[in-house]
Amino acid sequence: MAEAESLETASEHERILREIESTDTACIGPTLRSVYDGEEHWRFMEKLEARIRNHDREIEKMCNFHFQGFVDSITELLKVRGEAQKLKSQVTDTNDKLQASGRELLIEMEELRKCRSQQRNIAATVDKLTLCLPVLEMYSKLREQMKNKRHYPALKTMEHMEHTFLPQVNPYRFCTIMVENIPQLRDEIKEVSMSDLKDFLESIRKHSDKIGETAMKQAQQQRNLDNIVSQQHKTGTGKKVKKDGGIGFDAEVDGTSPMSEQDSGILDVEDEEDEEEVLSAQDLVDFSPVYRCLHIYTALGAQDTFENYYRKQRRKQARLVLQPPSNMHETLDGYRRYFNQIVGFFVVEDHILHTTQGLVNRACIDELWELAVSKTMSALRTHSSYCSDPNLVLDLKNLLVLFADTLQGYGFPVNQYFDMLLEIRDQFGEILLKKWSGVFRYILDLDNYSAIPVSSEEEYKRVMSQFPFHDPELESQLFPKKFPFSEFVPKVYMQIKEFIYACLKFSEDLHLSSTEIDDMIRKSTNLLLTRTLSNCLQNVIKKQHVGLTELVQIIINTTHLEQSCKFLEEFITNITNVPPETVHATKLYGTATFKDSRHAAEEEIYTKLNQKIDQFLQLADYDWMRAESNGHASDYLVDLIAFLRSTFAVFTHLPGKVAQTACMSACKHLSTSLLQLLLDTEVKQITMGALKQFNMDIKECEHFARSGPVPGFQGDTLQLAFIDLRQLLDLFIQWDWSTYLADYGQPNCKYLRVNPTTALTLLEKMKDTSRKNNVFAQFRKNERDKQKLIDTVAKQLRSLINSMSHHP
């Protein structure tokens, strides 16, 4: 065991020795520490000393080996020293020669140094010029840009030169001059750019009309495309709507329509001008001045000044644009130029808003728009009130719609304009009513008030195409034949339809629902029927020269027009697509209108008949003192009866009640008038012969009543019109006073219709006659008895009248 440990220690010492031999002395400390840490370091020392002795022996052997070489080397060195002396001498000679030669070189080198110095100066100068030349070039470029009025690039060049190049060449005098000129150049650019801006503002003021016209053409084209698409979509619906350019008037009225002139329209897309490419605002106006000016002022740090100036000038221009010309209402061109300028103004502002940053803002444009809406609506209310031409009002409406649609396309709110259009619609309705009043008067004045004769199928179809009339009996008749109504019926009907078309034309493009359009058309049509047409019919009916035949025809015409109202309802339904059963749908009042007109015509017939009867009665020339009757009716009465017969023959087309009422009214008036002839205060005396002649006339009247001039009377109803006269004459001719006085007041009295006062008045006229002839009466006992009887009857009548007054 001890022997193993000794071998292990020996091998460890051997390792440490090898490590000491191969390791740098600076790192030997850890190795030695490991020796001293062990317990047998003395053994290590022994090994170390043994190793040193071995190395000494090796060194000694090596020195002995190389000693002869060392001696040889010393010998060689001694030889070299002699040679070195020689070499030194040669070097000294060479150095002297070199110094002599070097003096010329030094002179050349000095000259070279001076050249190099000049070269460096030239290089420095070139460098400085290299720095200065760009400045000079940029300054030249700046002057050239100023000369060519390229101010914004000039400003950028100036800024680049000022901040980049001038600081590098600042000490030079020309640089100082440039620095001093830069503020002046900026001011010059500022002034020139402001001048350009002023020219731009003047340009857009002059071109606003053209810009607006172009924008409105674009809107019109777009709307036409939309309409074409809409119409194609509606194709096949079966609803036929009139699409002519204006509010036409049927040719049958001989061009008397208030709308006979062609609707001028707003922008006819078929014009050659519209076939060309429509230019935009950018194409019409060069906006570069305002952009340059904005960039320049922004670069100069004066953007607020520029914006304030621009907005101020545009507000002034807005006020000028919004001021309408005094004669604007006279022609459509006046309105068009006014609207074009406004549209042009806001198109420019909208373009500036979307192409610049902050030059104008939405708040500024909204303020100008509110001003424009207020001014334009005020101007429209004022000038449109002067207009009395429906075509002009319709064109104005179309223009205003296009104006609103155009600006709405640019994002401006236009609801107030469409509200304004509703006001103009009411005004348009009044103008239409006024114009159609003239049309109706013209039609009614030209009418011959005779049934329309047709001699061919073409004429028959022409009338049928104008007025909805169906009569199987008339269709079955052979030509020639007559319609029951006169020309004014189809003409008036067609004009009512034209009026409806006119109302529909105005309602287009107003953004109204079908129900609103339907309601508007029906209300306007009701006004046309109840006010305009009714007044025209009333005026015709009241005219003095309108005779009974014309009045009869008017009644027939109004009857057919009344029946056509349902077709007008269907017509309105077809063009508005709103069924009549819709809740709150307005109904046409045509039926009531035509009934009122017919009643007025009936009353006028009664009045005219009575007036004609009065005219015949004025021809009556009774001889109230005649002794006997001539045995036949008076000539005037025969003529009167003939007139009545012919007149009532015309009444065959009238409703039964109208003819019967007219006939009864005429007979009553005749009876009353004849009674007034008897009781006339100017007739002082009446003979029995005159009464008998008067009785012949009454018999003629009764015969006329019995003949049934108008069918429909039951029994002797018409004869009752003359019952008062009949009983009165019977009482006097039969001298049946005893019966009259005895039965008076009884329900079944024979002379129930004879009034005591009337009888007494006539009896007094008979009494005066008897007294006048009393000279001869004294020789005739009968006359004396009759006179006494008259006195007696008169007393009794007076007593009867007094009793009636005390006991009513």
Side-chain angles (χ1 to χ4, degrees):
M1 186 69 180
E3 184 179 354
E5 289 178 0
S6 176
L7 288 174
E8 184 179 352
T9 300
S11 62
E12 178 64 22
H13 289 169
E14 187 64 30
R15 184 188 66 77
I16 291 172
L17 288 172
R18 286 196 303 270
E19 188 174 348
I20 290 172
E21 290 175 347
S22 61
T23 303
D24 190 9
T25 55
C27 300
I28 203 172
T31 304
L32 296 176
R33 180 176 293 275
S34 63
V35 173
Y36 285 99
D37 288 340
E39 296 179 356
E40 296 181 356
H41 59 277
W42 56 271
R43 195 181 294 268
F44 174 75
M45 291 303 295
E46 289 177 357
K47 281 187 175 287
L48 180 61
E49 288 175 359
R51 182 64 59 91
I52 290 172
R53 285 191 299 268
N54 289 334
H55 281 299
D56 286 341
R57 284 192 295 271
E58 289 178 4
I59 290 171
E60 184 178 354
K61 287 178 182 180
M62 187 176 291
C63 286
N64 290 331
F65 179 77
H66 290 287
F67 180 75
Q68 187 59 44
F70 175 73
V71 173
D72 292 338
S73 296
I74 293 299
T75 303
E76 288 294 327
L77 284 174
L78 291 174
K79 291 178 181 180
V80 168
R81 183 173 65 179
E83 293 295 328
Q85 291 295 330
K86 293 178 183 180
L87 180 62
K88 178 178 179 183
S89 174
Q90 290 176 359
V91 169
T92 302
D93 292 339
T94 303
N95 180 55
D96 292 338
K97 293 178 182 179
L98 182 62
Q99 291 296 327
S101 300
R103 291 187 186 93
E104 295 178 3
L105 180 61
L106 288 174
I107 294 171
E108 294 295 332
M109 289 296 294
E110 180 65 22
E111 292 178 358
L112 179 61
R113 184 189 63 78
K114 292 180 180 179
C115 288
R116 292 292 176 90
S117 177
Q118 290 176 356
Q119 187 179 14
R120 285 194 298 271
N121 290 339
I122 291 171
T125 302
V126 170
D127 291 341
K128 294 297 182 182
L129 287 176
T130 304
L131 292 175
C132 292
L133 282 176
V135 177
L136 296 173
E137 289 174 355
M138 292 192 73
Y139 190 78
S140 176
K141 179 182 178 181
L142 172 62
R143 302 306 298 184
E144 187 69 22
Q145 290 172 337
M146 293 290 292
K147 180 180 178 181
N148 295 331
K149 296 183 179 181
R150 299 178 63 237
H151 300 110
Y152 184 69
L155 193 63
K156 286 298 183 182
T157 301
M158 191 185 309
E159 182 179 353
H160 187 54
M161 184 175 65
E162 184 179 23
H163 293 90
T164 304
F165 292 97
L166 285 179
Q168 298 177 6
V169 294
N170 195 31
Y172 302 108
R173 187 171 63 180
F174 76 89
C175 178
T176 305
I177 296 173
M178 289 182 182
V179 171
E180 292 174 353
N181 287 340
I182 285 176
Q184 298 176 3
L185 293 174
R186 281 202 178 96
D187 291 340
E188 182 181 348
I189 292 174
K190 197 173 183 180
E191 291 175 1
V192 173
S193 63
M194 181 56 70
S195 177
D196 291 344
L197 175 65
K198 292 178 180 178
D199 293 340
F200 168 78
L201 293 174
E202 181 65 20
S203 173
I204 60 175
R205 187 186 69 81
K206 292 179 179 179
H207 289 86
S208 287
D209 189 0
K210 186 64 176 177
I211 297 170
E213 180 184 357
T214 301
M216 292 175 74
K217 279 186 179 181
Q218 291 175 325
Q220 177 71 31
Q221 288 179 341
Q222 183 60 46
R223 193 170 68 181
N224 289 336
L225 290 174
D226 294 341
N227 289 339
I228 291 173
V229 174
S230 176
Q231 289 303 318
Q232 291 175 347
H233 179 70
K234 292 181 179 179
T235 300
T237 58
K239 303 298 182 182
K240 182 179 179 181
V241 180
K242 193 172 183 179
K243 288 296 179 184
D244 54 359
I247 307 171
F249 183 65
D250 192 79
E252 297 298 324
V253 192
D254 301 326
T256 59
S257 169
M259 297 301 187
S260 59
E261 299 179 2
Q262 280 293 323
D263 180 10
S264 60
I266 302 303
L267 293 168
D268 189 356
V269 294
E270 296 180 358
D271 289 348
E272 293 181 358
E273 294 181 359
D274 290 337
E275 293 177 0
E276 301 175 358
E277 182 181 357
V278 178
L279 301 177
S280 64
Q282 302 93 300
D283 300 321
L284 294 173
V285 177
D286 180 15
F287 287 92
S288 59
V290 71
Y291 298 149
R292 286 197 303 269
C293 196
L294 175 60
H295 292 327
I296 288 169
Y297 271 75
T298 302
L300 294 174
Q303 182 176 355
D304 292 342
T305 302
F306 173 75
E307 291 176 358
N308 293 334
Y309 177 81
Y310 178 85
R311 294 176 186 179
K312 181 179 179 181
Q313 293 302 313
R314 289 298 278 167
R315 276 194 291 269
K316 289 181 179 179
Q317 289 187 352
R319 292 187 176 91
L320 291 175
V321 167
L322 295 173
Q323 185 66 34
S326 59
N327 61 342
M328 182 174 71
H329 59 276
E330 295 178 357
T331 62
L332 182 64
D333 286 338
Y335 288 105
R336 183 180 285 113
R337 283 192 298 272
Y338 180 62
F339 286 137
N340 284 347
Q341 289 178 355
I342 296 173
V343 172
F345 178 89
F346 282 101
V347 167
V348 169
E349 289 302 285
D350 182 76
H351 183 76
I352 293 294
L353 173 67
H354 290 91
T355 55
T356 61
Q357 296 293 331
L359 179 56
V360 292
N361 52 36
R362 178 54 63 183
C364 181
I365 291 184
D366 289 344
E367 179 184 352
L368 290 175
W369 178 245
E370 290 177 3
L371 175 65
V373 171
S374 174
K375 292 286 186 181
T376 52
M377 291 188 66
S378 176
L380 284 174
R381 285 192 178 95
T382 301
H383 287 270
S384 64
S385 63
Y386 299 140
C387 184
S388 59
D389 181 6
N391 272 327
L392 180 57
V393 176
L394 180 60
D395 287 346
L396 173 59
K397 165 258 171 182
N398 290 333
L399 182 61
L400 185 54
V401 169
L402 181 57
F403 168 78
D405 287 346
T406 301
L407 288 172
Q408 190 175 36
Y410 285 91
F412 295 98
V414 294
N415 292 336
Q416 294 186 61
Y417 286 112
F418 284 100
D419 294 339
M420 179 69 185
L421 282 169
L422 298 182
E423 297 179 22
I424 297 179
R425 179 191 67 185
D426 297 336
Q427 177 188 347
F428 179 72
E430 291 298 323
I431 294 174
L432 287 183
L433 291 176
K434 183 178 178 181
K435 290 293 183 180
W436 253 264
S437 176
V439 173
F440 288 145
R441 287 198 302 269
Y442 184 83
I443 293 173
L444 296 175
D445 289 344
L446 289 184
D447 197 58
N448 58 9
Y449 296 95
S450 301
I452 302 176
V454 288
S455 57
S456 64
E457 185 69 23
E458 290 76 13
E459 294 180 1
Y460 181 82
K461 289 182 178 179
R462 179 183 64 82
V463 176
M464 292 295 291
S465 67
Q466 296 175 351
F467 184 75
F469 178 74
H470 179 69
D471 185 0
E473 183 179 351
L474 180 64
E475 291 177 359
S476 63
Q477 294 178 9
L478 299 177
F479 292 102
K481 50 189 176 182
K482 292 182 178 181
F483 285 93
F485 44 81
S486 69
E487 286 283 354
F488 97 63
V489 171
K491 288 182 178 180
V492 166
Y493 182 80
M494 290 298 293
Q495 280 312 299
I496 295 174
K497 292 176 68 175
E498 288 293 331
F499 179 87
I500 294 172
Y501 277 130
C503 296
L504 177 65
K505 193 72 176 174
F506 192 91
S507 66
E508 292 177 351
D509 304 317
L510 292 187
H511 302 174
L512 299 174
S513 65
S514 298
T515 304
E516 290 174 318
I517 294 175
D518 181 84
D519 184 68
M520 182 270 288
I521 291 177
R522 289 177 182 272
K523 287 181 178 179
S524 298
T525 306
N526 279 333
L527 285 177
L528 179 74
L529 296 175
T530 60
R531 193 173 77 184
T532 304
L533 181 56
S534 177
N535 289 341
C536 291
L537 289 173
Q538 294 288 346
N539 291 335
V540 170
I541 291 169
K542 297 297 181 181
K543 286 184 177 180
Q544 292 294 328
H545 69 273
V546 177
L548 291 172
T549 304
E550 288 84 355
L551 289 171
V552 170
Q553 190 62 56
I554 288 174
I555 292 176
I556 296 171
N557 290 350
T558 52
T559 301
H560 288 285
L561 286 174
E562 179 185 345
Q563 294 170 355
S564 71
C565 286
K566 62 181 181 180
F567 297 103
L568 290 176
E569 290 266 11
E570 294 176 359
F571 175 71
I572 295 175
T573 299
N574 287 337
I575 64 176
T576 61
N577 296 325
V578 177
E581 62 272 10
T582 303
V583 180
H584 305 307
T586 305
K587 303 299 180 183
L588 290 184
Y589 302 146
T591 302
T593 298
F594 296 123
K595 281 184 178 179
D596 293 341
S597 299
R598 187 164 61 253
H599 291 159
E602 293 170 3
E603 293 296 328
E604 194 66 19
I605 285 178
Y606 307 151
T607 302
K608 293 279 186 182
L609 270 177
N610 293 342
Q611 290 175 352
K612 200 67 178 178
I613 291 172
D614 291 340
Q615 292 175 5
F616 276 100
L617 290 175
Q618 289 176 2
L619 302 175
D621 187 18
Y622 285 104
D623 180 8
W624 300 110
M625 300 304 296
R626 71 166 56 239
E628 294 294 335
S629 167
N630 57 14
H632 58 81
S634 302
D635 292 340
Y636 87 91
L637 191 68
V638 173
D639 293 340
L640 173 58
I641 295 302
F643 164 75
L644 291 176
R645 289 185 186 278
S646 63
T647 299
F648 292 137
V650 179
F651 285 12
T652 53
H653 295 293
L654 288 177
K657 289 186 178 181
V658 177
Q660 294 169 14
T661 303
C663 187
M664 178 61 75
S665 173
C667 289
K668 285 184 177 181
H669 182 71
L670 177 58
S671 175
T672 303
S673 300
L674 288 173
L675 180 60
Q676 291 299 323
L677 286 176
L678 280 178
L679 303 179
D680 191 357
T681 55
E682 294 182 1
V683 179
K684 304 298 183 181
Q685 300 172 347
I686 300 178
T687 63
M688 184 58 70
L691 279 181
K692 290 181 179 179
Q693 178 59 43
F694 197 79
N695 187 47
M696 294 297 295
D697 292 344
I698 300 305
K699 286 182 178 180
E700 184 69 19
C701 293
E702 291 174 331
H703 175 69
F704 167 73
R706 286 194 299 272
S707 67
V710 173
F713 287 109
Q714 296 180 354
D716 296 334
T717 302
L718 192 58
Q719 286 182 258
L720 295 178
F722 301 99
I723 190 63
D724 292 358
L725 278 173
R726 170 49 50 212
Q727 291 185 5
L728 180 63
L729 291 175
D730 287 348
L731 175 61
F732 275 84
I733 293 174
Q734 296 175 13
W735 209 253
D736 195 7
W737 292 104
S738 58
T739 303
Y740 175 75
L741 295 172
D743 295 343
Y744 183 81
Q746 300 298 321
N748 297 323
C749 176
K750 181 179 179 181
Y751 303 103
L752 180 64
R753 308 287 297 183
V754 178
N755 187 286
T757 304
T758 303
L760 178 60
T761 301
L762 185 57
L763 188 61
E764 291 289 345
K765 297 177 185 292
M766 299 285 294
K767 180 179 177 181
D768 291 340
T769 304
S770 300
R771 289 176 178 175
K772 185 175 182 181
N773 297 328
N774 60 5
V775 176
F776 304 98
Q778 59 183 342
F779 302 104
R780 294 192 294 273
K781 183 176 181 300
N782 290 338
E783 290 295 332
R784 290 196 302 271
D785 294 342
K786 186 176 181 179
Q787 182 62 39
K788 291 180 180 179
L789 179 58
I790 289 175
D791 291 339
T792 302
V793 170
K795 289 180 181 179
Q796 291 177 339
L797 287 173
R798 291 189 185 94
S799 176
L800 183 60
I801 291 171
N802 290 332
S803 63
M804 288 174 59
S805 62
H806 289 93
H807 303 285

